[in-house]
Amino acid sequence: RAVIGYDNAGDKCFSVGFDEIPIKINGSGDTFSAVMMAEILNGSELENAVKKAVNGVSGLILENLDIAKEYNGLPIEKNIEIL
């Protein structure tokens, strides 16, 4: 799996690969978008922002696999350092 994008500022395409984690968690897309946009607003290039978001959301999911369904989402506040 991969996130594929185009960075207009750098006129380049990119691909950020990730391993699929076989679980559906509410809010993971919102968390991805928030991390990516925060990185962009802090001056990161799009590809680096996407990498940070992929790694952050994946890390949150893996760290909380045992309780993710119980919370019906990700306990972001508990694991903010991962992002």
Side-chain angles (χ1 to χ4, degrees), residues 11-79:
D11 191 29
K12 66 177 184 173
C13 293
F14 64 87
S15 174
V16 177
F18 64 91
D19 294 326
E20 183 176 357
I21 303 167
I23 187 171
K24 296 204 184 289
I25 298 179
N26 294 335
S28 56
D30 295 328
T31 304
F32 178 93
S33 297
V35 172
M36 183 184 76
M37 286 307 302
E39 288 296 310
I40 289 170
L41 292 172
N42 282 321
S44 291
E45 293 183 6
L46 180 59
E47 183 175 4
N48 292 333
V50 169
K51 285 179 185 176
K52 175 82 174 188
V54 165
N55 292 334
V57 171
S58 295
L60 279 173
I61 292 170
L62 292 172
E63 184 69 26
N64 295 286
L65 273 177
D66 55 335
I67 61 169
K69 289 200 175 200
E70 175 187 339
Y71 280 92
N72 197 25
L74 295 168
I76 294 170
E77 295 83 3
K78 177 182 149 197
N79 301 108

